[in-house]
Amino acid sequence: MRVLVTGGAGFIGSYIADALVAAGHGVVVMDALLPQAHGFGHVPELAHELVRGDVRDRGVLDRLLPGVDAVCHQAAMVGHGVDPADAPEYASVNDFGTAVLLAAMYAHGVQRLVMASSMVVYGEGRYDCPEHGEMVPGPRAARDLAEARFDPMCPACGCALVSGLVGEDAVLDPRSTYAATKAAQEYLAKAWARQTDGTVWAMRYHNVYGPRMPRDTPYAGVASLFRSSLENGQAPQVMEDGRQRRDFVHVTDVAAANVLALEASMPPGEFRAVNICSGEPHTVGELASALSAAMRGPQPRVVGGARPGDVRHVVADPARAGELLGFRAAMSFAEGVAQFAHAPLRASAAQRAATTE
């Protein structure tokens, strides 16, 4: 099978490209090499064919799609967004870019799509009230966050909610600009599948970490930010109370899941979303402490507060990915964090610029 991997020079995309080649597939990588992920003027060394191009550029897609059997769509602008002024660029890269890709795939008869989605489409995860059952909490109030009341309360009775595993059938409830664009990508792809008899796997990644993560940028993941602090001899700063729960999944497991999806069969016109997670939830505080111990650095410092758009607990149900794809994460939290503590990361745009001056 010949696969076009958009964003294939990036953190996750590059691992997917490697895994596809190892599985015997042909790969062509397309990447805009955005400075948030790669630094200004930096072209990564890859063992695959690399075409520099923006997914919004129909001309580039028209050159690359002939002869392609499937597309693995990883190109995106990621992160919560630094401020609301980022919204047009998020919508352009993530949503308009996906629309251009889908139109080009239709024109060239490419009907298999595996796309990067995200846990952020859920908003808050699954919660239950002891009295009222499953409940969907509203956005957390600024006053509650300022007074260190971080856990959502039942909107019916005001009692503390208990977090549980969020499954793929949960109602989408995006609470940041980035989250809204990821939900829109899913809706676009679902409509495309129905209209074209194409097939779509929407891979709802949870907190992905591992070697090659971009570092020292507002768009980086929390694991990268913690590690950068420790490398600078500083304590990782943990927001809220550090008890917010996430599922940290290693990038090699994410790549393996994408290969399984690309190789899986599906009836024409189908759209299926799956959680791509470790099935081993931990708190953000536990991640910071594990990295501090592995790097023999200062203990984390809990600083309170919360970023706009952050949610309290998102813990994934891994069952559907196991049933439909046969996917189960192989990397444990302890092993993955110990490896990540000393793995190479991607230098920031500022660092790359400094080295070329």
Side-chain angles (χ1 to χ4, degrees), residues 187-211:
Y187 287 126
L188 286 166
K190 184 182 290 188
W192 172 85
R194 289 172 177 165
Q195 292 171 324
T196 67
D197 278 341
T199 62
V200 178
W201 289 97
M203 314 293 275
R204 291 179 181 167
Y205 302 155
H206 286 253
N207 288 74
V208 186
Y209 73 99

Side-chain angles (χ1 to χ4, degrees), residues 195-267:
Q195 292 171 324
T196 67
D197 278 341
T199 62
V200 178
W201 289 97
M203 314 293 275
R204 291 179 181 167
Y205 302 155
H206 286 253
N207 288 74
V208 186
Y209 73 99
R212 305 181 197 166
M213 284 186 83
R215 55 174 294 165
D216 301 328
T217 161
Y219 302 91
V222 66
S224 175
L225 297 175
F226 287 164
R227 216 192 87 165
S228 292
S229 294
L230 287 162
E231 287 179 337
N232 293 328
Q234 300 170 351
Q237 295 195 3
V238 180
M239 302 194 79
E240 302 190 20
D241 57 4
R243 299 193 184 100
Q244 56 272 43
R245 296 170 72 226
R246 298 289 189 270
D247 187 303
F248 299 99
V249 58
H250 197 268
V251 66
T252 55
D253 285 320
V254 173
N258 275 270
V259 174
L260 288 171
L262 285 159
E263 294 176 339
S265 60
M266 191 192 300

Side-chain angles (χ1 to χ4, degrees), residues 306-321:
R307 296 182 302 174
D310 268 357
V311 296
R312 180 60 171 171
H313 303 297
V314 186
V315 180
D317 185 344
R320 182 179 291 184

Side-chain angles (χ1 to χ4, degrees), residues 30 66 132 185 265:
M30 173 183 177
H132 297 99
Q185 282 184 292
S265 60

